[in-house]
Amino acid sequence: MGTVNVCVKRGYITVASLIAILSGLLLAITLFSHGYFHEDEEIENILPGLQVMYATSIITILLVTTGLYGVCKRKKWMLICYIVGMTLCCMLMGVLDIQGVAVRPRVVQEIKAHYLSVIPLSNASKEDIDGINELQIDLQCCGMYEGYQDWGYNISEACLCVEDAVHPCVAAPRNSSLFENVKTDDPIMIYKEPCITYLAAHALFAIDVLLGVILGTLLLWVSTVELLNCQKYMVSLKVLDYPQKRKCYMLLSHQKHTWSCVLLHSHMFE
């Protein structure tokens, strides 16, 4: 029994230490992100997310520290606090994971609705055009729904194909703004596909990665709770509290043909 308990204890310490390291990295990333976007005008939009990351990392570090100290010092009340706290956190993370799965289609619909409202792009605001141009360069696409036709006559130069383009290209129409100062008959190649498809795929990928991280974190938390809930480990903590170890042996009485339990000091068998 001693060997099993040592293995359980070491397993818990290993997993809990891994959780502490990951929580510390999350806290460091949150601090860096907060400092990086501190002067940004859009800090108000990402502030709720930063607050959730702060709370998650700090609460996890505190719970793991409590559990590790309780295991090393054999403080059962600290282990109980850890188990209760981690159980509540696991339930919360499970709810967030389920909500994330339900939100995936809605995110795509909101993205499509937002960019549909700025069509035609020639009438969009400068802020929207700048954002779309960045998307076109990063995703190697042109327009949002109908390709270059979304731009009308004034096709953006961000639609121009690069030499090592991954996505397909097509010749731009000669009655567009791209040929205003061009005197040759060579075609000007622009990206063929609209951006909305690639943007939706990237958004879904980001959501899937986030859900995977949440699920992995949930599994790590559950594993530590299950290790502490291991019956043999909890029994060993209880036995260590007594001044003398005792063992219960079931002996068969030949006279009465019944089972009886006899308590014997463990030092008699050492």
Side-chain angles (χ1 to χ4, degrees), residues 121 132-133 136-137 140-144 147-149 151 154-162 168-170 172 178 188-193 195:
L121 299 178
I132 293 172
N133 284 334
Q136 292 177 149
I137 295 173
Q140 295 187 357
C141 53
C142 186
M144 295 307 300
Y148 66 86
Q149 297 178 5
W151 289 101
N154 298 310
I155 298 178
S156 172
E157 293 184 358
C159 292
L160 296 176
C161 278
V162 295
C169 299
V170 67
L178 295 176
I188 297 178
M189 305 302 293
I190 58 177
Y191 296 115
K192 178 181 179 181
E193 301 293 337
C195 295

Coordinates of all heavy atoms in Angstrom, one line a residue, residues 121 132-133 136-137 140-144 147-149 151 154-162 168-170 172 178 188-193 195:
L121 N -17.8 48.1 -51.3 CA -16.6 48.6 -50.6 C -16.2 50.0 -51.0 O -15.5 50.7 -50.2 CB -15.5 47.6 -50.8 CG -15.7 46.2 -50.3 CD1 -14.5 45.3 -50.7 CD2 -16.0 46.2 -48.8
I132 N -10.1 45.9 -44.2 CA -10.3 45.0 -45.3 C -9.0 44.8 -46.1 O -8.6 43.7 -46.6 CB -11.5 45.4 -46.2 CG1 -12.8 45.3 -45.4 CG2 -11.5 44.5 -47.5 CD1 -14.0 45.8 -46.1
N133 N -8.3 45.9 -46.4 CA -7.0 45.8 -47.1 C -6.0 44.9 -46.3 O -5.3 44.1 -46.9 CB -6.4 47.2 -47.3 CG -7.1 47.9 -48.4 OD1 -7.7 47.3 -49.3 ND2 -7.1 49.2 -48.3
Q136 N -7.0 41.4 -47.0 CA -6.7 41.0 -48.3 C -5.2 40.6 -48.5 O -4.8 39.7 -49.2 CB -7.1 42.1 -49.3 CG -8.6 42.2 -49.4 CD -8.9 43.4 -50.4 OE1 -10.0 43.3 -51.0 NE2 -8.1 44.4 -50.5
I137 N -4.3 41.4 -47.8 CA -2.9 41.1 -47.9 C -2.6 39.8 -47.1 O -1.8 39.0 -47.5 CB -2.1 42.3 -47.3 CG1 -2.3 43.5 -48.3 CG2 -0.6 42.0 -47.2 CD1 -1.7 44.8 -47.7
Q140 N -4.6 36.7 -48.7 CA -4.4 36.6 -50.2 C -5.8 36.4 -50.8 O -6.1 35.4 -51.4 CB -3.5 35.5 -50.5 CG -2.0 35.7 -50.0 CD -1.1 34.7 -50.5 OE1 -1.5 33.7 -51.2 NE2 0.2 34.8 -50.2
C141 N -6.6 37.4 -50.7 CA -7.9 37.4 -51.3 C -8.3 38.8 -51.8 O -7.6 39.7 -51.6 CB -9.0 36.9 -50.3 SG -8.9 37.8 -48.7
C142 N -9.5 38.9 -52.4 CA -9.9 40.2 -52.9 C -11.4 40.3 -52.7 O -12.2 39.5 -53.1 CB -9.5 40.4 -54.4 SG -9.9 42.0 -55.1
G143 N -11.8 41.5 -52.1 CA -13.2 41.6 -51.9 C -13.7 40.8 -50.7 O -12.9 40.1 -50.1
M144 N -15.0 40.8 -50.5 CA -15.5 40.0 -49.4 C -16.5 38.9 -49.8 O -16.4 37.8 -49.3 CB -16.3 41.0 -48.4 CG -15.3 42.0 -47.7 SD -13.9 41.3 -46.9 CE -14.7 40.2 -45.7
G147 N -15.7 38.7 -54.7 CA -14.3 38.9 -55.3 C -14.1 40.4 -55.6 O -14.6 41.3 -54.9
Y148 N -13.3 40.6 -56.6 CA -12.9 42.0 -57.0 C -14.1 42.9 -57.4 O -14.1 44.1 -57.4 CB -11.9 42.0 -58.1 CG -12.4 41.5 -59.4 CD1 -13.1 42.3 -60.3 CD2 -12.2 40.2 -59.8 CE1 -13.6 41.8 -61.5 CE2 -12.7 39.7 -61.0 CZ -13.4 40.5 -61.9 OH -13.9 40.0 -63.1
Q149 N -15.2 42.2 -57.7 CA -16.4 43.0 -58.1 C -17.0 43.8 -57.0 O -17.7 44.8 -57.2 CB -17.5 42.0 -58.6 CG -17.1 41.3 -59.9 CD -18.1 40.3 -60.4 OE1 -19.2 40.2 -59.8 NE2 -17.8 39.5 -61.4
W151 N -15.4 45.8 -55.2 CA -14.8 47.1 -55.3 C -15.3 48.0 -56.4 O -15.0 49.2 -56.4 CB -13.2 46.9 -55.4 CG -12.5 46.4 -54.2 CD1 -12.1 45.1 -54.0 CD2 -12.2 47.1 -53.1 NE1 -11.5 45.0 -52.8 CE2 -11.6 46.2 -52.2 CE3 -12.3 48.5 -52.7 CZ2 -11.1 46.6 -50.9 CZ3 -11.9 48.8 -51.4 CH2 -11.2 47.9 -50.6
N154 N -12.9 51.0 -58.5 CA -11.7 51.3 -57.7 C -11.2 50.0 -57.0 O -11.5 49.9 -55.8 CB -12.0 52.4 -56.7 CG -12.3 53.7 -57.4 OD1 -11.6 54.1 -58.3 ND2 -13.4 54.3 -57.0
I155 N -10.6 49.1 -57.7 CA -10.1 47.9 -57.1 C -8.9 48.2 -56.3 O -8.0 48.9 -56.7 CB -9.8 46.9 -58.2 CG1 -11.0 46.5 -59.0 CG2 -9.1 45.6 -57.6 CD1 -10.7 45.5 -60.1
S156 N -8.9 47.7 -55.1 CA -7.8 48.0 -54.2 C -6.5 47.4 -54.6 O -6.5 46.3 -55.2 CB -8.1 47.5 -52.8 OG -7.0 47.6 -51.9
E157 N -5.4 48.1 -54.4 CA -4.1 47.5 -54.8 C -3.7 46.4 -53.8 O -2.7 45.6 -54.1 CB -3.0 48.6 -54.7 CG -3.2 49.7 -55.8 CD -2.1 50.7 -55.7 OE1 -1.2 50.6 -54.9 OE2 -2.1 51.6 -56.6
A158 N -4.4 46.3 -52.7 CA -4.1 45.1 -51.8 C -4.6 43.8 -52.5 O -4.2 42.7 -52.0 CB -4.8 45.3 -50.5
C159 N -5.3 43.9 -53.6 CA -5.8 42.7 -54.2 C -4.7 42.1 -55.2 O -4.9 41.0 -55.7 CB -7.0 42.9 -55.0 SG -8.5 43.3 -54.0
L160 N -3.6 42.9 -55.4 CA -2.6 42.4 -56.4 C -1.9 41.2 -55.9 O -1.5 41.0 -54.8 CB -1.6 43.5 -56.6 CG -2.1 44.8 -57.2 CD1 -1.0 45.9 -57.3 CD2 -2.6 44.6 -58.6
C161 N -1.8 40.2 -56.8 CA -1.1 38.9 -56.5 C 0.4 39.1 -56.3 O 1.0 39.9 -57.0 CB -1.3 37.9 -57.6 SG -3.0 37.1 -57.5
V162 N 0.9 38.4 -55.3 CA 2.4 38.3 -55.2 C 2.9 37.1 -55.9 O 2.2 36.3 -56.4 CB 2.7 38.2 -53.6 CG1 2.2 39.5 -52.9 CG2 2.1 37.0 -53.1
P168 N -5.5 31.2 -55.8 CA -5.6 31.5 -57.2 C -5.7 32.9 -57.6 O -6.3 33.7 -56.8 CB -6.8 30.7 -57.7 CG -7.6 30.5 -56.4 CD -6.7 30.4 -55.3
C169 N -5.2 33.3 -58.7 CA -5.3 34.7 -59.2 C -6.0 34.7 -60.5 O -6.1 33.7 -61.2 CB -3.9 35.3 -59.3 SG -2.9 35.3 -57.8
V170 N -6.4 35.9 -60.9 CA -7.2 36.1 -62.2 C -6.8 37.5 -62.7 O -6.4 38.4 -61.9 CB -8.7 36.0 -61.9 CG1 -9.2 37.2 -61.1 CG2 -9.4 36.0 -63.2
A172 N -7.2 41.2 -63.9 CA -8.1 42.3 -63.5 C -8.7 42.9 -64.7 O -8.1 42.9 -65.8 CB -7.3 43.3 -62.7
L178 N -6.9 50.1 -61.8 CA -5.6 49.5 -61.8 C -4.8 49.8 -63.1 O -3.6 49.8 -63.1 CB -5.6 48.0 -61.5 CG -6.1 47.6 -60.2 CD1 -6.2 46.0 -60.1 CD2 -5.2 48.1 -59.0
I188 N -2.8 42.5 -65.4 CA -2.5 42.7 -64.0 C -3.3 41.6 -63.2 O -4.5 41.5 -63.3 CB -2.9 44.1 -63.5 CG1 -2.1 45.1 -64.3 CG2 -2.7 44.2 -62.0 CD1 -2.5 46.6 -63.9
M189 N -2.5 40.8 -62.5 CA -3.2 39.6 -61.8 C -3.6 40.1 -60.4 O -2.8 40.7 -59.6 CB -2.2 38.5 -61.7 CG -1.6 38.0 -63.1 SD -3.0 37.5 -64.2 CE -3.6 36.1 -63.4
I190 N -4.8 39.7 -60.1 CA -5.3 40.0 -58.7 C -5.9 38.7 -58.2 O -6.1 37.7 -58.9 CB -6.4 41.0 -58.8 CG1 -7.6 40.6 -59.7 CG2 -5.9 42.4 -59.2 CD1 -8.7 41.6 -59.7
Y191 N -6.1 38.6 -56.8 CA -6.7 37.4 -56.2 C -8.1 37.2 -56.7 O -8.9 38.1 -56.8 CB -6.6 37.6 -54.7 CG -5.2 37.7 -54.2 CD1 -4.7 38.8 -53.5 CD2 -4.3 36.6 -54.3 CE1 -3.5 38.9 -53.0 CE2 -3.0 36.7 -53.8 CZ -2.6 37.8 -53.2 OH -1.3 37.9 -52.7
K192 N -8.4 35.9 -56.9 CA -9.7 35.6 -57.4 C -10.8 35.4 -56.3 O -11.9 35.8 -56.5 CB -9.6 34.3 -58.2 CG -10.9 33.7 -58.8 CD -10.6 32.5 -59.6 CE -11.9 31.9 -60.1 NZ -11.7 30.6 -60.9
E193 N -10.4 34.7 -55.2 CA -11.4 34.3 -54.2 C -11.7 35.5 -53.3 O -10.8 36.3 -52.9 CB -10.8 33.2 -53.4 CG -10.5 31.9 -54.2 CD -11.8 31.3 -54.8 OE1 -12.8 31.5 -54.3 OE2 -11.6 30.6 -55.8
C195 N -12.7 37.2 -49.5 CA -12.1 37.0 -48.2 C -13.0 36.3 -47.2 O -12.5 35.8 -46.2 CB -11.6 38.3 -47.7 SG -10.3 39.1 -48.7

